[in-house]
Amino acid sequence: MYKSVPHLSDPLTATPVLATLAGLILIEATIVVLALRRGYDTGEAAASVAVGVGNILTRSVNRVLIALVMSVVSELAPWHWDITSAWTWVAGFVGVEFCYYWMHRLGHRVWWMWASHGVHHSASHFILPSAMRLPWTGVFSGEWLVFLPLVLIGCPPMVVATLLALNLLYQFFLHTELSPRWGPLEYVLNTPTHHRIHHASNASCLDKNFGGVLIVFDRLFGTFASEEGNEPLRFGLTAPIDSRNPFVIAFAGWGRLFKAVKNERGAVPRLRLLLGPPRD
């Protein structure tokens, strides 16, 4: 029987990967400034990188709890997929993409989850460093719990963790306005064009294109939107965080949520607030 391991690998934190991402950020900035003659907000980019560093530092602590829970759930599974089988990785990929879609959608529609996920949407420029604005409090917001049913039906936790890390790595390359359209691939894959819509705060773009690597679940469940018309896209939160302090960026969403909860009266209204859609 497959025994889950207590440690989940994280290829995102490997030194060669981080060095490559840093190089790509510098290349993008050079193209924007020298070739396109456009402004580049280095302050906001630096704030995004600082938030990313904080995510890396907290990630190792978060993995301990997540790995423990996944190990327990895996032991409860009635059967276990063979981690050496290619079919496990194929089925795991589809399963992770499906769970990621619903995790991401819940992250936008449940204020308790949005308090953490909103960090990623706080940048007002759509550039590669914005991809590094990842929350420090994901373990508390509970988005990762969406993946537990996949483990419960036998998918090894290591497969889930590795595919999810690769999913996030793929999405790094989506956070740029320099990429052209991808043609027919846009029917299946999440692309920079699709992800621009997801990060835009225009009313027509809110809560659209939740996919990770794939865009097919957005098409299936009615949350897909394409980039049409001449309306310029505005990036960032509908209620912007006016700070470049990484600690403010990381915790402002929780502050707004707890302030709203404090202003409510009664346990039921407060619970509805926590589990209902965000108001910022």
Side-chain angles (χ1 to χ4, degrees), residues 99-120:
C99 291
Y100 181 88
Y101 169 84
W102 286 106
M103 177 202 75
H104 200 175
R105 186 167 176 174
L106 287 171
H108 280 249
R109 301 305 301 160
V110 177
W111 200 350
W112 176 262
M113 294 182 175
W114 174 252
S116 183
H117 181 66
V119 171
H120 184 61

Side-chain angles (χ1 to χ4, degrees), residues 234-257:
R234 301 183 304 275
F235 299 110
L237 301 172
T238 54
I241 299 174
D242 188 22
S243 176
R244 292 178 178 175
N245 183 318
F247 290 92
V248 174
I249 294 170
F251 296 108
W254 290 106
R256 290 173 174 172
L257 173 59

Side-chain angles (χ1 to χ4, degrees), residues 2 4-5 8 67 70-71 74 151 155-162:
Y2 169 78
S4 57
V5 295
L8 300 181
M70 283 196 169
S71 295
S74 180
V151 176
C155 188
M158 184 63 72
V159 172
V160 174
T162 301

Side-chain angles (χ1 to χ4, degrees), residues 206-225:
L206 296 177
D207 299 333
K208 301 295 183 181
N209 299 353
F210 294 113
V213 175
L214 303 177
I215 202 68
V216 292
F217 294 116
D218 285 285
R219 295 183 183 277
L220 285 173
F221 297 117
T223 54
F224 174 75

Side-chain angles (χ1 to χ4, degrees), residues 119-264:
V119 171
H120 184 61
H121 286 262
S122 60
S124 60
H125 295 83
F126 195 66
I127 51 179
L128 289 177
S130 301
M132 302 183 70
R133 287 201 180 209
L134 298 174
W136 303 355
T137 56
V139 69
F140 301 110
S141 61
E143 292 178 339
W144 56 277
L145 295 171
V146 178
F147 295 92
L148 291 184
L150 188 58
V151 176
L152 190 58
I153 64 173
C155 188
M158 184 63 72
V159 172
V160 174
T162 301
L163 290 173
L164 183 57
L166 294 175
N167 176 309
L168 296 177
L169 181 60
Y170 172 85
Q171 289 189 62
F172 173 85
F173 302 97
L174 303 183
H175 293 77
T176 181
E177 295 191 80
L178 299 184
S179 174
R181 303 287 300 246
W182 289 17
L185 291 176
E186 295 194 348
Y187 288 102
V188 178
L189 297 178
N190 194 11
T191 69
T193 300
H194 297 330
H195 210 54
R196 282 196 290 269
I197 294 294
H198 177 72
H199 271 265
S201 58
N202 306 54
S204 61
C205 300
L206 296 177
D207 299 333
K208 301 295 183 181
N209 299 353
F210 294 113
V213 175
L214 303 177
I215 202 68
V216 292
F217 294 116
D218 285 285
R219 295 183 183 277
L220 285 173
F221 297 117
T223 54
F224 174 75
S226 59
E227 192 171 24
E228 298 176 352
N230 298 319
E231 181 185 12
L233 297 180
R234 301 183 304 275
F235 299 110
L237 301 172
T238 54
I241 299 174
D242 188 22
S243 176
R244 292 178 178 175
N245 183 318
F247 290 92
V248 174
I249 294 170
F251 296 108
W254 290 106
R256 290 173 174 172
L257 173 59
F258 292 145
K259 182 179 179 180
V261 170
K262 182 180 178 181
N263 292 334
E264 282 288 349

